Structure formats: structure tokens, C-alpha cells
Amino acid sequence: MAGGGGNDVQWCFSQVKGAIDDDVAEADIISTVEFNHSGELLATGDKGGRVVIFQQEPENKSQPQCRGEYNVYSTFQSHEPEFDYLKSLEIEEKINKIRWLPQKNAAQFLLSTNDKTIKLWKISERDKRPEGYNLKEEDGRYRDPTTVTTLRVPVFRPMDLMVEASPRRVFANAHTYHINSISVNSDYETYLSADDLRVNLWHLEITDRSFNIVDIKPANMEELTEVITAAEFHPNQCNTFVYSSSKGTIRLCDMRASALCDKHSKLFEEPEDPSNRSFFSEIISSISDVKFSHNGRYMMTRDYLSVKIWDLNMESRPVETYQVHEYLRSKLCSLYENDCIFDKFECCWNGNDSVVMTGSYNNFFRMFDRGQKKDVTLEASRESSKPRAVLKPRKVCGGGKRKKDEISVDSLDFNKKILHTAWHPQENIIAVATTNNLYIFQDKLN
Amino acid sequence: SLRYMLGRGVKRKLSDYDESMAAGLPGPFDSSPALPYPQQRQLVLNMCLRKLQSCCLKVEPSLHRSVLLSNTLRQIQGEMLNEDCNTSPLAVQSDRNAYSVDTSPYIGGNPPATPAHIPDLPPLPLYSQAEEANLMTMPSDNGMSSTVSSHVRVSGFMKDMSPPPAFPSWAENEELDFFSSSSSSSEDEGNDHPAGSRSLDSLFGSFEIPNSTSYLTDLAFDDIFEDIDTSMYDSSDFTSVLSFTAPRSSVSPSEDSLKPFSTCSSLSTNGIQICVTDLNDLDHIMEILVES
């Protein structure tokens, strides 16, 4: 599994974050994971509306074989639970997505969103503070002006590093339905937000209005059969974005064509395989995530059972298809019964677009090497959590005779699902979120 | 613990879901692939209905999930309807192994030969908060009626074989009395859809603020303010709703009409407990307060 070069990569455990006990607090469930553009920062959002940012320690010169560890850099409450009085419904504070802005100055900026509201957060460091005020004592009390006999210029003195997060913009009241995606444009001035039926375009500086660029709401809601599931801007072309649907289609739109992009420029859809048809065909074709490759030539989609790579120049079918857990195809009814069939798995590319990764059940996650046509199944578990321990590939036995070290389908734990994964933009470092733990793995450096 | 076994009519308990998720997949469907196609389809239909009805959340139900469920339901219903119309071509099919391109989407299924068993529809479930909200803001809204009519529709759909609808027909008529063209979908002003086809409104309607324009023109001025209350959680909302529905129905409201209200009102609404049985006391107290 190469990140570059032809050697097989061996993945090692690096760190795990989060509580150890099996009793998971609902608020601690991780709902999104995202590296920033340099990979130095790793942000997670959880169901309790909190954002935790980890920062990578600078490499230790005396231990060049170890990459820096990620330690907590900042924690803040991004969203609070709200109440919609008009509909008498709660609005969950769960963070659906986090997207980093590229760094322009000393501060870092990220967008975080729940179902209804997007917020722009500024994370800045403070390591100096002014001392020597004329009118205030060191503890802040005001001095009696009559006792001041001399004047001095306050000076900055070093202090313990303090990381502050402050909300700079709140983008609210633009979505009737649940926001599923946000994506920053390559112009670094605008971004899009998508809910079940609409996609809106925002300017980062302007919070009191947004442009609706896609609207698939039918005039009669009775006729609704399809919803938007994900949307993303093209990494290089600031006029291009895609959105995926619950029917397994992806539409590519050009904002130069018209103000309302209801008419797509391209429609990507693979014809259904009639031999695989079942009651659940539509449900499993629903796309849960769409991601452009870093070079902008491809996009990847995730549906319930597979990962597909599409060439943006070919709409008729994907150029590559990878089966994530085909052994579940004969179990679809049970998965429908326990609602697992509605799970939304995400997917991600590595830095040079040669490998893709996605999660599965039983805390398994899968990697597909596009160049070498190899795939591997790994597990994020406390058992294989010794420092620098190499992860052993796992294998699921679909039916028939189970070999040693294989796991049979019926003993998979469907409560343990890996929905969110992220890959460092340059290095072979990955972040994998189980229900309430964040695992960091890296490739073995010799 | 009881497991859902087709043919035995015993339903799986909710606690079993957790067990099955942790321990694997003991689903009857998947573990006995030799189930004949009609039973497989029936099983899926039952699950579909159960899931659509169980949206009792304090949060808005997921539109994505509702759409997928209703599409599946539609597909199955469409198939069953086709079978009603065309029993002969399907009965002729004798190929047990082949995937049938035309009407049997399930691989390996036997051609359906007998009319499907229609399940007894469960009693009107606890309301989703969304529908409660609709009741509070627009007492004549389709909150209850549409769920009722969704049952009516589904059972009526298979009316040749089904048991009589679980709800009195006045519920359907009542909906027509209240409002002629208003619906929970705000852009839907011109469409007078039949009272029976409201099943999706109850799922999708929670997202829309009901269009009050047609509602306002239909009612007399006084009627408008009879029900709209400035306090969202004033218990008088329930009394006004209950009293509002009562006189309108041609049949005096039976226990059936009040039962769902008492069921839903005993739900904890974000910490506010309102019990129908307490309303009389509350009324009394209010009278005393107002008069003093």
C-alpha cells in the first residue's frame, strides 16, 4: 500500500484519543474528522457540539524515526442545542462537518456546522501579555490616579501559551432542511452549504444573505423521491461543484452557466446491474460521500457497499469500483431491520491520490491502492494499541469454512462502525474515528 | 426474547435490536433465503411501515431516511398493485431460479401465487413532535388526520383483501371539512389532493411552515383566533384543540379521537408534562386566576 513508491506500507498504531470505557456518552460520539491544509492540525467534532483540535508536535531531532504526536491544542463549544419554536422541535448541536480555511496569517480559521447553522471560528495563539499599566495594578484593580507620579510604557512579556477560539461569523437561517455538507471554494472567498434539497453559496464575509444555487424541492412535496446527500467544490476550478443524490447520481454544475444551477453540466450515473436488484437496491445506491481528488481530475463516491472513482470526463460509468464489504449484500434485510443500511460512511484520498480509504463495521477500515490494485482491511481497536505496533490485516469470511484468524460475517459488531476517516495531506498519517475514540496511525518509518 | 419469525406473527421487541446489532445478523430473512418471494416482500413491507410510523423524535426526522423508506414502500405497493391487476401472467411463470425482469425484482424468488397477507395496521402511534407542533399551530392541520389517512390509504390500497380501516371514517371526512386546499406543503396552493394521499405530508410536512394563506381565507375571522394561542405550551392549547375537533365531527368523538391526544400529550415535551386528565384541574385554576 504505497503512499508513493512501490513498497508496501505497513501501518502502525500511533495514538488513541478519548475515553477508554465501553460506556459511551452520547455527547462524545465523534461526528467529523478533518486535517487542515498543512496537516499540522487535526480537528474533530462531536455529537455534543464540541470541537477538539489536536496539534502535531514538531519532529524531535533526536528521534527522527518518530513523527510528532498530536496533542490537544484547543477545545471549544461550537454549537449549542437550540429549539425551533415554530415547529416545536429540537435542533441538534451535533457537528456535521468541519472544513478548514487555508492559513493566511498567524490565526487559523475553520467552518463548523450543525443541522442549521454554520459558524466561522478563529483560533489564535496568545503567548505574550502586556505588563506595566499606568492606571491598573497587576491584578487589574484600578489605581488611584492621585498616586501616579511617573509614567511608563507597558511592555509585552512572555506568558504561557493560550489558544483562544472565537466565533467570527454566524451564518444562520438559510436552511430549512438538515445541512449535510460545507465546502470552501478555491477562491477562498466563498463556500457552499448543502441540505437535503438545496445548495447555498455564501461569501465568508457576509452573513445576512446567501445565494441559492441548487433547489430540487418539488412544488408538491408528495412528489419528493430524491434528496441531496453531499456537495463539494472543485479543488481548482472555482466555478465548478458537484452534488450527489440518494438515487446514486452525481451532478456536476458550472456556476457560470446560470444563477440557478438546477440544470447540471454533467450527470454521472452508473446503470444498475439487474442481477443485483432487490428491495434495497435504491437504499444501497444512495451516495453518502463525494470527494474530489487533490488533482481535480477524479472524484470518489461512497455508497453503502462500494467506493467508486469517476473520471470527470466520463459520465457513463466509474473508472474504478472497489467493494468495501460485499459480504453484506446477502444480509441487507437484517441491516435494513436494524437501520444500519442507513449508515453514512465517508471516504478520503491520500495526498497524491494513489490510495483511497473508507470505514466499515466491527471497527474495520479499508484501503484501496489504485496503482497496485491491492486492498487491505485493518482494525482500530484497543487490543492492537501498543505504541508503534504494526497493524495486522484482517479478513472477513463471507460464508463457508472459516479459516484461522478470519472473522465470520455473523460475528461482526454492527455497533462498532467507522464512519469518519481522514488522511494527512502530505504524509502517511491517518485519523480514524470509532464511536467515541480517535485513532491515529502512521506508516512504519525505518 | 422473542424474535420476529415470519408466519408466527410475533414481533421482535425493541431490546432485541441492540442484541442483534452487537451479536451479528440473525435476521430470519437472510438466514432462510428459501422464503418465498411474497413472504419476503411482506416482511419488507411490514418493516417499512413500522419504520415510517415510529418517527417519535424530539428532533426532526431525517428527510433522507423518510424518502428512502417511502420510495421502498411505493415500490412494493406498486408491485402488489400490478399483481392485483395482472394475476395471470405472473402465475404462469414457473421458473423458480431466474431473475424475472418484469415484475419480480428479487432474485431467486418464486412467482407470487397467492394474495399477500395484509398485516393489521398498528394502532395510531405516539406522535412525532413535528405533528404535535402542527396540531398546536394549526389545529385543523393534517397532523393526526394525515397519519390516519396514511393508514387508510395503505389499507385502502389493498382494500380487496384488507380488514376495515382501523380508524373511523369520520376522521377522513373531518379533514375535508376543515380545510379544502391547505396542506403542509407551502407551495402547494393549487393542488387539491384527495384526503387519502397525505401520507408523505406527515413525513415531509414537518419541515414546512404550513401555508396559512388558504387556511385564513377558508375560516371566519373569529375561528382564526379561536385556536391560535400566544403561549405555545399553554395547556389550553390542548383543550382548545380537543374542543375544536369535537363539535365538527358528525359523529360525537369516540374514545378513538381522544386516545391519540392523551397518548401524545403524556409524552414529555422537552420537560413539560401535560396530562389530559389534569386539564380539567388546570381549567379550574385558570378560571380562578382570571376572575381574581
Side-chain angles (χ1 to χ4, degrees), chain A residues 83 177 217 282 334 339 410, chain B residues 23 30 51 71 187 208 270:
Chain A
F83 196 77
Y177 304 96
K217 179 172 189 261
E282 189 188 309
S334 303
D339 270 3
D410 295 317
Chain B
D30 297 326
K51 284 178 190 297
N71 285 353
E187 276 90 54
E208 298 297 309
N270 298 309

Side-chain angles (χ1 to χ4, degrees), chain B residues 155-191:
Chain B
S155 63
F157 177 79
M158 302 175 260
K159 58 180 178 288
D160 293 340
M161 302 167 271
S162 70
F167 305 95
S169 56
W170 62 261
E172 194 175 334
N173 294 335
E174 189 176 346
E175 183 182 78
L176 291 170
D177 283 345
F178 284 9
F179 54 112
S180 52
S181 62
S182 71
S183 72
S184 64
S185 115
S186 57
E187 276 90 54
D188 184 32
E189 295 188 51
N191 271 345

Side-chain angles (χ1 to χ4, degrees), chain A residues 83 85-90 92 116 176-178 196-197 217-222 224-227 229 246-247 274-275 277-280 282-283 286 328 330-340 342 344 409-415 417, chain B residues 12 17-18 21-25 27 29-30 37 40-41 44 47-48 51 58-61 63-65 67-69 71-72 74-76 99 105-107 129-130 133 137 185 187 191 193 197-201 204 206-209 232-233 270:
Chain A
F83 196 77
Y85 291 98
L86 220 42
K87 299 182 208 165
S88 288
L89 292 171
E90 288 181 1
E92 275 195 312
K116 299 284 183 179
T176 309
Y177 304 96
H178 293 161
D196 292 313
L197 298 181
K217 179 172 189 261
N220 179 1
M221 280 293 272
E222 283 270 315
L224 181 65
T225 56
E226 191 174 9
V227 298
T229 52
S246 55
K247 286 198 168 166
S275 65
R277 188 106 170 76
S278 76
F279 297 116
F280 313 107
E282 189 188 309
I283 298 180
S286 175
L328 295 182
S330 56
K331 308 288 181 188
L332 289 179
C333 192
S334 303
L335 294 162
Y336 177 76
E337 191 177 15
N338 63 18
D339 270 3
C340 282
F342 299 105
K344 297 190 190 149
V409 185
D410 295 317
S411 41
L412 293 174
D413 188 341
F414 290 85
N415 275 327
K417 47 193 95 168
Chain B
R12 181 193 281 257
Y17 285 153
D18 286 347
M21 294 239 305
L25 299 167
F29 192 116
D30 297 326
Y37 177 75
Q40 286 172 349
R41 186 176 58 190
V44 178
M47 282 198 286
C48 219
K51 284 178 190 297
K58 289 193 282 185
V59 200
E60 272 172 322
L63 186 64
H64 175 237
R65 183 187 142 95
V67 166
L68 289 176
L69 287 170
N71 285 353
T72 308
R74 251 199 219 110
Q75 180 199 325
I76 295 176
Y99 155 72
Y106 199 88
I107 188 172
Q129 290 287 3
T137 55
S185 115
E187 276 90 54
N191 271 345
H193 32 208
S197 62
R198 299 296 185 101
S199 55
L200 293 177
D201 275 357
F204 306 153
S206 66
F207 291 95
E208 298 297 309
I209 309 298
M232 290 290 288
Y233 298 100
N270 298 309

Side-chain angles (χ1 to χ4, degrees), chain A residues 56-200:
Chain A
Q56 190 180 29
E57 298 300 317
E59 269 179 37
N60 193 335
K61 299 250 178 349
S62 64
Q63 279 188 307
Q65 69 270 25
C66 285
R67 287 202 191 81
E69 276 199 344
Y70 282 85
N71 296 319
V72 177
Y73 178 65
S74 173
T75 304
F76 57 93
Q77 187 74 33
S78 171
H79 287 71
E80 298 277 359
E82 280 173 56
F83 196 77
D84 183 336
Y85 291 98
L86 220 42
K87 299 182 208 165
S88 288
L89 292 171
E90 288 181 1
I91 299 172
E92 275 195 312
E93 66 274 30
K94 172 168 76 85
I95 308 295
N96 292 337
K97 285 278 156 39
I98 289 173
R99 289 288 182 264
W100 290 93
L101 265 56
Q103 191 174 10
K104 280 197 272 192
N105 50 39
Q108 300 278 356
F109 288 86
L110 62 78
L111 287 169
S112 74
T113 186
N114 69 347
D115 283 339
K116 299 284 183 179
T117 305
I118 307 130
K119 295 188 185 181
L120 176 69
W121 287 89
K122 176 180 179 184
I123 298 106
S124 47
E125 291 182 3
R126 193 198 291 259
D127 61 356
K128 292 185 261 293
R129 67 155 182 255
E131 280 177 27
Y133 285 102
N134 291 294
L135 296 174
K136 273 198 281 190
E137 304 284 0
E138 290 305 324
D139 59 8
R141 279 181 303 142
Y142 280 94
R143 291 167 71 181
D144 180 359
T146 55
T147 64
V148 177
T149 53
T150 59
L151 286 180
R152 55 186 174 163
V153 177
V155 291
F156 274 96
R157 297 222 189 276
M159 60 178 258
D160 288 339
L161 178 68
M162 203 167 73
V163 180
E164 299 171 319
S166 56
R168 306 302 287 181
R169 305 270 187 278
V170 177
F171 305 91
N173 301 323
H175 286 279
T176 309
Y177 304 96
H178 293 161
I179 298 175
N180 52 55
S181 314
I182 46 175
S183 176
V184 183
N185 203 350
S186 50
D187 64 9
Y188 302 148
E189 283 188 351
T190 57
Y191 75 95
L192 65 75
S193 58
D195 65 29
D196 292 313
L197 298 181
R198 299 190 175 103
V199 180
N200 291 336

